[in-house]
Amino acid sequence: YFCPAGSSDGSCVIWDFETRGVAKELRDKDCIAPITSVCWSKYGHHILVSATDKSLTLWDVVNGEKIARTTLQQTTLNARLHPGFRSPFVCLACPFASAPILVDLNSGSTTVLPVSVSDTGTGVVPPPRNKFSDGSPPFTPTAACFNRQGDLIYVGNSKGEILVLDYKTIQVQGIVPTSGGAVIKNIVFSRSGQYLLTNSNDRTIRVYENHLPHKDGARALDELSKTMDELQGIEKTKAMGSKCLVLSREFQDNINKIHWKAPCFSGDGEWVVGASGSKGEHKIYIWDRAGHLVKILEGPKEALMDLAWHPVHPIVVSVSWSGLVYIWAKDYTENWSAFAPDFKELEENEEYVEREDEFDVVPDTEKVKAVDIDEDEEVDIVTVEKDSAFSDSDMSQEELCFLPAVPCPDLPEQLEKCVGSSSKLLDSNHSASPLSDEAGQNGHARNLISSPADVMGNSIAEEVDANGSSKRKRKPSEKGLELQAEMGRKPLKNIKSSAKVPRTRNKSAEEEDPDFCEFAGNGDMY
């Protein structure tokens, strides 16, 4: 399982939950702006990334290649790929200051979605009276999402209404008004497509039950429209909306009146999670679908920005404003009965009376029971079984289940630092030092070091004795040289170093190698 995250430098990093490491890094040289949203495709082979530079970029996850890139007129807050296509080149974008739009990533063409319907039923909304200084009408950001198959689009507007749109005709087929009538900030479907969640400005999270079939929802909506020919205009649209969604539960904090951020469903749709929108709080609230508050997760004293639930495991990932990603998992307790079904845990000591025949010797032939298992049958360890409760695709064998890790190249600043250290080392080797002169007089072999790799490989010197055999000697420290001088041996000149050298075993002056270097704490060598 993989977790993508957008960074402030325009790159998208994919983590592997099994290895707890970076599996892939998607970096576009044309984009250095912060990422606003990331979205997997239905089969997991592509990722859509939106950034603050108004760009949308589609990536091939396995190859790490950029497939398509387009630039909009507004910054996209949230972008979602169409779930019904094998090649996802159509996405739904929710800009910051305009209506949701459908974007064709191949051609770059866009289609603006309607966000309101007039009372006359003509579909034309009169322009607002108040305008900005530049003459443009005021607009509140709206939320939108596809249903499970992608043949319907659900849009939440500033009037507190949920609009049901046909994907092909871009016509409003139904309207579902909310009880509060407040601006809808988020709208999310569960993975199964059975439930719809909305987050409004009235500090309430609402869960609706979807009464349309998961497949061919648009066709079912057309058949429903034919049964309501006696109704016209807005009345017919609201009547059809009431047949699409039915309010199931409302979640709110009646005491603190908290604004909610990034609400979503669990992987199986049985739980609802929402984050506190208060500044300086990192709290995550978890409810069951019946409306009971089950758990409150409290994190560090920093605001929360985004939230996601793992599609299979009980794991929640949250992102703070400081850029840190927090992973919340269940704290499992050891249960020995899971390994031995006949094992019984005792709270306290109990007196046990053994049976009369408990320790009688029983022949092995009586213990072995006949098991009807074909030992010659081949075991299939390649095919991935489909889990209908969690799988997004209809054909699980096409889903991305493995992503090979590719080593990331060194950054340019690291390469420059390494080259600078090598040049300093060469200069020091060519310059004559008192210690090297003294070593040359004593007949020691001088071995010049030409690269940082050689330095790391020569941490232990190699010396040849009179018989021609090679001995590996450990390098003496500066403190050892001083102790040898105090003991009345041949005086040696001290070596000036830029960092403290670790203590080593003392050696005599005849066993020392003049060409000894180490890496200092700042990367330089001495």
Side-chain angles (χ1 to χ4, degrees):
Y1 304 104
F2 309 105
C3 174
S7 61
S8 59
D9 61 354
S11 62
C12 180
V13 181
I14 302 176
W15 279 282
D16 190 345
F17 265 87
E18 298 296 334
T19 61
R20 302 296 177 91
V22 177
K24 185 80 68 174
E25 183 177 2
L26 308 176
R27 185 179 295 274
D28 186 6
K29 61 181 181 180
D30 298 331
C31 178
I32 57 175
I35 303 299
T36 58
S37 69
V38 292
C39 174
W40 285 101
S41 64
K42 182 177 182 179
Y43 300 97
H45 293 273
H46 302 86
I47 281 184
L48 178 65
V49 178
S50 64
T52 56
D53 61 353
K54 308 175 184 179
S55 65
L56 294 174
T57 307
L58 183 64
W59 292 90
D60 187 318
V61 178
V62 178
N63 300 327
E65 298 177 354
K66 181 174 62 175
I67 300 177
R69 175 184 168 86
T70 184
T71 303
L72 306 178
Q73 296 181 356
Q74 298 286 342
T75 300
T76 302
L77 298 180
N78 193 6
R80 291 291 177 264
L81 288 169
H82 193 286
F85 297 149
R86 290 176 179 245
S87 299
F89 286 102
V90 177
C91 71
L92 177 62
C94 297
F96 177 74
S98 66
I101 56 178
L102 284 174
V103 182
D104 189 337
L105 298 175
N106 278 334
S107 60
S109 61
T110 59
T111 303
V112 180
L113 302 180
V115 294
S116 182
V117 178
S118 65
D119 295 336
T120 59
T122 59
V124 180
V125 181
R129 296 181 180 179
N130 299 327
K131 294 184 178 181
F132 290 124
S133 58
D134 58 354
S136 61
F139 192 86
T140 303
T142 56
C145 69
F146 290 105
N147 65 343
R148 179 178 172 84
Q149 194 176 6
D151 55 350
L152 293 176
I153 302 175
Y154 291 75
V155 179
N157 61 15
S158 59
K159 297 181 180 180
E161 299 172 340
I162 303 175
L163 276 61
V164 184
L165 278 65
D166 191 320
Y167 166 73
K168 294 182 178 179
T169 62
I170 315 298
Q171 297 294 326
V172 178
Q173 300 292 332
I175 297 178
V176 182
T178 60
S179 56
V183 177
I184 297 178
K185 300 186 297 183
N186 305 98
I187 182 167
V188 181
F189 255 106
S190 62
R191 291 173 63 86
S192 62
Q194 186 177 359
Y195 297 98
L196 177 72
L197 178 148
T198 62
N199 178 28
S200 304
N201 267 352
D202 59 354
R203 300 176 174 87
T204 304
I205 297 175
R206 295 176 176 85
V207 174
Y208 295 85
E209 186 174 357
N210 182 22
H211 284 189
L212 294 177
H214 299 166
K215 293 184 178 180
D216 296 331
R219 181 183 302 176
L221 207 57
D222 292 338
E223 296 176 356
L224 181 62
S225 176
K226 296 177 182 179
T227 61
M228 298 183 180
D229 291 337
E230 68 277 4
L231 300 176
Q232 297 295 330
I234 195 69
E235 295 181 359
K236 181 179 179 180
T237 309
K238 289 184 178 180
M240 292 183 61
S242 62
K243 299 294 183 179
C244 298
L245 298 174
V246 176
L247 181 63
S248 174
R249 190 68 59 184
E250 293 184 353
F251 304 92
Q252 58 184 348
D253 190 343
N254 295 324
I255 299 176
N256 299 322
K257 301 294 182 181
I258 298 175
H259 280 281
W260 304 108
K261 272 189 176 182
C264 61
F265 288 99
S266 61
D268 55 359
E270 295 296 328
W271 308 93
V272 177
V273 59
S276 171
S278 302
K279 295 182 179 180
E281 280 189 355
H282 199 103
K283 291 185 179 180
I284 302 173
Y285 293 74
I286 301 176
W287 300 271
D288 58 10
R289 215 171 54 237
H292 302 102
L293 181 62
V294 179
K295 189 75 174 178
I296 300 178
L297 306 177
E298 296 188 11
K301 299 296 182 181
E302 53 185 355
L304 188 144
M305 183 169 54
D306 201 359
L307 185 69
W309 192 299
H310 195 281
V312 177
H313 299 296
I315 299 176
V316 177
V317 177
S318 61
V319 182
S320 66
W321 279 103
S322 62
L324 298 178
V325 178
Y326 297 92
I327 300 176
W328 306 81
K330 185 177 180 180
D331 186 13
Y332 291 96
T333 57
E334 294 183 355
N335 184 12
W336 294 102
S337 60
F339 303 97
D342 56 346
F343 184 83
K344 181 181 178 181
E345 296 183 1
L346 301 178
E347 299 292 338
E348 58 184 7
N349 294 333
E350 296 181 4
E351 184 178 357
Y352 177 73
V353 179
E354 64 183 30
R355 300 188 310 272
E356 183 177 355
D357 59 344
E358 184 173 1
F359 297 100
D360 293 349
V361 178
V362 180
D364 295 338
T365 57
E366 298 182 4
K367 294 182 180 180
V368 178
K369 297 181 180 179
V371 181
D372 188 12
I373 298 178
D374 186 6
E375 297 182 355
D376 297 332
E377 183 181 0
E378 295 183 359
V379 179
D380 186 7
I381 61 174
V382 178
T383 304
V384 179
E385 295 183 358
K386 176 183 176 182
D387 191 346
S388 58
F390 300 109
S391 179
D392 269 345
S393 70
D394 300 329
M395 302 175 65
S396 294
Q397 63 269 19
E398 295 185 5
E399 292 182 350
L400 179 64
C401 300
F402 173 73
L403 184 62
V406 179
C408 297
D410 294 334
L411 297 177
E413 53 267 19
Q414 294 179 352
L415 296 176
E416 294 177 0
K417 190 173 184 180
C418 183
V419 173
S421 301
S422 302
S423 60
K424 291 182 181 180
L425 182 60
L426 289 174
D427 295 339
S428 62
N429 287 334
H430 288 294
S431 61
S433 62
L435 185 59
S436 61
D437 294 338
E438 183 179 357
Q441 294 174 3
N442 293 334
H444 288 281
R446 184 173 181 178
N447 185 19
L448 293 179
I449 303 174
S450 59
S451 68
D454 296 333
V455 177
M456 303 304 294
N458 293 333
S459 59
I460 298 179
E462 184 171 314
E463 186 180 7
V464 181
D465 57 8
N467 297 328
S469 60
S470 176
K471 299 181 180 179
R472 298 182 65 84
K473 301 296 181 180
R474 189 177 295 275
K475 300 300 184 288
S477 63
E478 183 180 358
K479 187 66 176 179
L481 298 177
E482 295 177 357
L483 292 176
Q484 292 173 6
E486 293 177 358
M487 293 173 62
R489 297 187 178 186
K490 186 176 181 178
L492 298 175
K493 298 182 181 180
N494 294 335
I495 303 175
K496 295 183 179 179
S497 61
S498 60
K500 186 176 180 181
V501 182
R503 296 184 177 182
T504 57
R505 188 178 59 181
N506 296 335
K507 293 293 180 179
S508 61
E510 290 78 11
E511 296 178 349
E512 298 181 27
D513 195 328
D515 299 314
F516 171 58
C517 298
E518 284 188 358
F519 282 98
N522 58 359
D524 296 334
M525 304 175 186
Y526 60 90

